[in-house]
Amino acid sequence: MLPTTSVNSRSQGNGALSPRDAARHTAGAKRYKYLRRLFHFRQMDFEFALWQMLYLFTSPQRVYRNFHYRKQTKDQWARDDPAFLVLLSIWLCVSTVGFGFVLDLGFFETIKLLLWVVFIDCVGVGLLIATLMWFISNKYLVKQQNRDYDVEWGYAFDVHLNAFYPLLVILHFIQLFFINYVIISDSVIGYFVGNTLWLIAIGYYIYVTFLGYSALPFLKNTAILLYPFALLIVLYLISLACGWNFTKMLCSFYKYRV
């Protein structure tokens, strides 16, 4: 059986963690260890992070099985290696430069776009979503309201990063090849292709997020995380009926911002 906490396995005779073990397993200690490794590239496992990025497309369940293994061996669900975050940042930079080229932006406008995408679209929105999901899952989805069973905030942010990566590749890379010649054209094909890519990207985000929380054995009713699919389909059909072009709106928004 997979463990959900290590309080019992590392406890003293009276059932409490020793002061030394308790200090090592606080959120602050884990955060400090994670941030410290950001400056030690040789300690990062980039090969494994690339493996995770590949399987987020082909078999995301395998990625979350590794999170189970980390819980068993290191007593935490969240990543302790920032290699995935570093590679995701590189992807953001490369794809944003490509986006700036497609939108015919200048050098400084592309830098502004990069800062917006990194600090607002990815990190800012990610912090909000991770905090919201962390609160909801701990408040309403935990089977037993017990301090030994809780969703780590770092894990909630990891789930966001996992779900954000496929969305990034679809909207900021694959879509680039169709923007100028297909998507932003004033035709039915244009907004059909563009909106369909948005449907796939956001749908994948919802699905990978659902897998992340359903992988935790102490959560219940995680299927409700799939309910936004219904709203997504409705919005997609309305957009096609009304001729809304989400990609064209996004390009106009980015150009206005920079």
Side-chain angles (χ1 to χ4, degrees), residues 13-241:
N14 59 2
L17 281 173
S18 67
R20 183 176 180 180
D21 285 342
R24 286 167 48 202
H25 289 83
T26 61
K30 293 176 181 178
R31 182 169 58 249
Y32 171 76
K33 180 181 177 181
Y34 183 89
L35 294 176
R36 186 181 61 183
R37 293 188 66 178
L38 275 173
F39 302 97
H40 298 83
F41 286 91
R42 293 183 178 181
Q43 297 180 10
M44 299 183 197
D45 191 348
F46 290 106
E47 182 178 354
F48 183 69
L50 286 171
W51 173 88
Q52 289 184 318
M53 288 181 166
L54 173 63
Y55 279 103
L56 281 172
F57 277 101
T58 60
S59 182
Q61 298 91 335
R62 296 185 62 177
V63 176
Y64 287 114
R65 282 201 291 269
N66 174 260
F67 281 77
H68 276 287
Y69 176 75
R70 183 181 300 108
K71 178 61 178 178
Q72 289 178 308
T73 57
K74 300 183 179 180
D75 191 37
Q76 68 178 67
W77 291 98
R79 289 186 177 96
D80 61 340
D81 184 351
F84 187 93
L85 179 61
V86 172
L87 291 181
L88 180 62
S89 301
I90 294 175
W91 260 106
L92 276 171
C93 294
V94 173
S95 63
T96 302
V97 170
F99 222 97
F101 178 78
V102 169
L103 296 181
D104 197 25
L105 300 178
F107 175 78
F108 291 105
E109 287 78 9
T110 302
I111 296 299
K112 291 180 181 179
L113 176 62
L114 174 61
L115 294 176
W116 178 274
V117 171
V118 172
F119 292 104
I120 303 297
D121 291 354
C122 181
V123 177
V125 174
L127 292 175
L128 290 175
I129 293 178
T131 302
L132 179 63
M133 294 301 300
W134 170 77
F135 173 78
I136 291 175
S137 57
N138 282 317
K139 184 71 173 179
Y140 302 107
L141 301 181
V142 176
K143 294 178 182 178
Q144 303 177 30
Q145 293 299 327
N146 187 302
R147 66 182 179 86
D148 295 345
Y149 297 85
D150 67 328
V151 178
E152 303 166 8
W153 186 91
Y155 180 81
F157 190 67
D158 277 341
V159 171
H160 163 72
L161 294 182
N162 290 343
F164 183 79
Y165 173 69
L167 181 147
L168 170 69
V169 173
I170 294 172
L171 295 182
H172 275 231
F173 181 69
I174 296 177
Q175 189 173 225
L176 294 182
F177 297 98
F178 302 95
I179 286 183
N180 283 337
Y181 302 103
V182 179
I183 295 178
I184 63 175
S185 63
D186 296 323
S187 65
V188 176
I189 297 297
Y191 62 76
F192 173 76
V193 172
N195 292 1
T196 300
L197 288 175
W198 276 85
L199 174 68
I200 296 172
I202 298 177
Y204 218 107
Y205 184 95
I206 295 172
Y207 176 64
V208 174
T209 299
F210 159 73
L211 290 179
Y213 290 95
S214 63
L216 300 179
F218 52 88
L219 295 186
K220 61 181 179 180
N221 302 327
T222 53
I224 64 173
L225 300 179
L226 293 175
Y227 289 179
F229 263 121
L231 178 61
L232 180 63
I233 295 296
V234 171
L235 290 176
Y236 173 71
L237 294 177
I238 292 176
S239 71
L240 295 183

